[in-house]
Amino acid sequence: MKRIYISDIKKNGKSFEGQNILLKGWLYNKRHKGKLYFLQLRDGTGIIQCVVFKGDVTDEVFDQADKVTQESSLEINGTLKEDTRSPIGYEISVNNLKILSHAENYPISPKDHGVAFLMDHRHLWLRSSRQHAILSVRNQLITAIRQYFNENDFTLIDAPIFTPAACEGTTTLFEVGYFDDKAYLTQSGQLYMEAAAKAFGKVYCFGPTFRAEKSKTRRHLTEFWMVEPEVAFNRLEENIDLAEDFLVYIVNYVLANCRKELEILERNLAPLENVQKPFPRLHYEEAVSKLNELGLSFQSGGDFGAEDETVLTQAYDRPIIVTHFPRKIKAFYMKQDENQPEYARCVDILAPEGYGEIIGGGEREDNYDVLIQSIKDHSLPEEAFKWYLDLRKYGTTHSAGFGLGIERCVAWICGLHHVRETIPFPRMLERLTP
RNA sequence: UCCCGUGUAGCUCAGUCGGUAGAGCAAGUGGCUGUUAACCACUGGGUCGCAAGUUCGAGUCUUGCCGCGGGAGCCA
């Protein structure tokens, strides 16, 4: 007998109706009433109720139904029947049941648990329907990202994980031994993308990023995934158009492909359906005025804090674009604006509902002399950036790009309180296991 | 790094004024042919985070340490 998946039943139940089918999976939950056992079978593609009736099976099979415990792996043989009470429209009338591996005292019961306990059992927590939904959204979001860049003729260029020095001087890096030398785990592939853009025109990288900041908030991980496109000859305005178009595309893709998952997560879809062009665009100083109008006393010149971002984004119904931050609070490679030398040609996109910055980027400094001065101003070791400076010597161009943090984006789309559930095995200040 | 909170059964928590350690769920046994976090009855289950101190007596008070949670700064 051919084994089928629960997803086959969800997609094409009619063709299996009345037939004897074979399923393999794990016991999600069990209820019992007299001569009936209701087994919720989970196979990774869905959950289906399998009904064992004493009158239909041998004593041995009925005994197995009694013995099977939560998360035991099992094989079920039964007849598919339509049932209006079932969330997927079908259930299985069991003929035979075989326990493949008996699970003793599965730690995660269907009742309340605290976050710490669940995180300690992350390897098992992944089996729950809520975590399954979140990671399915992550999967679809990543699919959307790759598809967007493929459709728009970008080339995927992988950036190195080991790097010789800081991309940006301000943040903390993870230092690792590299034979007799030291190396650092990457905190951005961007500098490498600038080199790649001058070889391929439109490029992007997608990989893990490491930040050794001692941040202990719902928005921070020490290891997270970032996608970073870079386009040669693009200026800030074209970069903003790209970021906007990209964000609309990926959100719409997830909305179209993850209805069930967002329903399980009880996500209000209205704010996501609002993610349509154009997004409000604010100059940094306009954003500062807006913050003061909204009742905060924000001094021009500094970066926005968590509360500032929350208050600002709550004034709009879709993501907002803030450009031209003061040069001195931005990375050394940000291009100085020709008409406003105190400001950088950079862009942040803030997600609505207080989710904060999900995209950060801008135009790169293309002038050799300005760049080398900027490296000095940021007290960075000039020799480490020799290859990067070469890009300004051999056919320099305007160049712009941005980075999108996957976990923050998933948290926003799923409406989650914390980014730790958006990555299979989170790495945080106080957590390196499992 | 700083601020706040918390640590009691496998899990989630209660424990009053310092006076014999509690509940619900889970687990085990029994009952019931339609359960959706099933229900009913019974049973077992404790290094009260660790260490020291105060006291006739500490889960409770004091000090230190550790773990965890939330937040800030910084960032995606």
Side-chain angles (χ1 to χ4, degrees), chain A residues 119-384:
Chain A
M119 271 300 167
D120 284 342
H121 296 85
R122 183 62 174 169
H123 52 296
L124 303 176
W125 192 21
L126 296 177
R127 302 181 186 191
S128 78
S129 57
R130 188 180 153 82
Q131 298 308 310
H132 197 278
I134 294 167
L135 294 177
S136 297
V137 169
R138 180 188 173 100
N139 173 49
Q140 290 297 321
L141 181 73
I142 291 169
T143 302
I145 288 167
R146 293 192 181 283
Q147 194 167 301
Y148 179 86
F149 289 125
N150 284 337
E151 285 174 3
N152 288 283
D153 301 320
F154 280 70
T155 303
L156 173 69
I157 301 288
D158 300 311
I161 306 287
F162 286 133
T163 60
C167 293
E168 306 169 31
T170 53
T171 42
T172 323
L173 293 165
F174 282 107
E175 187 181 300
V176 294
Y178 196 78
F179 304 110
D180 293 332
D181 209 343
K182 283 176 189 169
Y184 303 90
L185 300 183
T186 181
Q187 61 177 358
S188 168
Q190 188 233 308
L191 302 190
Y192 296 98
M193 288 307 101
E194 285 189 52
K198 287 172 172 71
F200 290 83
K202 297 198 272 186
V203 299
Y204 74 104
C205 63
F206 181 45
T209 300
F210 307 88
R211 303 268 168 102
E213 294 153 6
K214 295 201 170 171
S215 302
K216 216 181 143 182
T217 83
R218 75 180 98 160
R219 295 181 306 281
H220 286 87
L221 298 166
T222 53
E223 177 182 318
F224 66 97
W225 285 66
M226 188 155 69
V227 59
E228 294 173 279
E230 183 77 23
V231 180
F233 299 105
N234 261 16
R235 302 224 60 191
L236 176 64
E237 294 71 22
E238 294 161 302
N239 189 47
I240 295 170
D241 290 343
L242 174 68
E244 189 181 61
D245 192 57
F246 168 73
L247 203 53
V248 168
Y249 180 94
I250 62 175
V251 171
N252 284 342
Y253 186 96
V254 172
L255 271 175
N257 291 282
C258 298
R259 288 276 160 174
K260 281 265 155 57
E261 286 79 7
L262 294 172
E263 199 179 301
I264 289 168
L265 298 167
E266 297 174 324
R267 178 62 161 117
N268 175 13
L269 298 182
L272 297 178
E273 283 161 349
N274 272 339
V275 181
Q276 300 300 338
K277 288 191 263 189
F279 299 164
R281 298 186 184 194
L282 289 82
H283 186 286
Y284 171 80
E285 294 299 345
E286 289 179 281
V288 170
S289 306
K290 186 79 185 175
L291 278 175
N292 286 297
E293 271 171 44
L294 291 166
L296 295 179
S297 55
F298 186 87
Q299 283 258 307
S300 175
D303 212 345
F304 300 141
E307 196 199 352
D308 306 319
E309 286 184 354
T310 302
V311 170
L312 190 60
T313 55
Q314 278 171 351
Y316 299 90
D317 70 343
R318 60 193 71 197
I320 61 170
I321 295 170
V322 184
T323 64
H324 297 91
F325 283 74
R327 245 186 113 215
K328 62 174 185 288
I329 58 167
K330 283 291 171 181
F332 77 94
Y333 50 74
M334 290 292 187
K335 185 171 173 58
Q336 180 176 30
D337 193 276
E338 295 90 333
N339 303 316
Q340 322 165 62
E342 297 303 308
Y343 297 89
R345 293 180 60 77
C346 64
V347 54
D348 278 6
I349 300 186
L350 307 179
E353 302 165 85
Y355 280 93
E357 185 183 343
I358 51 168
I359 281 179
E363 192 174 328
R364 319 308 181 188
E365 184 52 72
D366 52 296
N367 181 289
Y368 186 93
D369 297 324
V370 176
L371 186 59
I372 208 157
Q373 187 57 48
S374 187
I375 288 172
K376 282 177 187 156
D377 292 345
H378 284 80
S379 318
L380 295 169
E382 200 181 310
E383 57 285 359

Side-chain angles (χ1 to χ4, degrees), chain A residues 3 23-27 41-43 72-75 100:
Chain A
R3 173 202 171 197
L23 292 170
K24 295 186 186 193
W26 300 263
L27 187 73
L41 183 77
R42 177 183 71 73
D43 77 347
S72 288
S73 53
L74 65 163
E75 204 175 284
L100 301 174

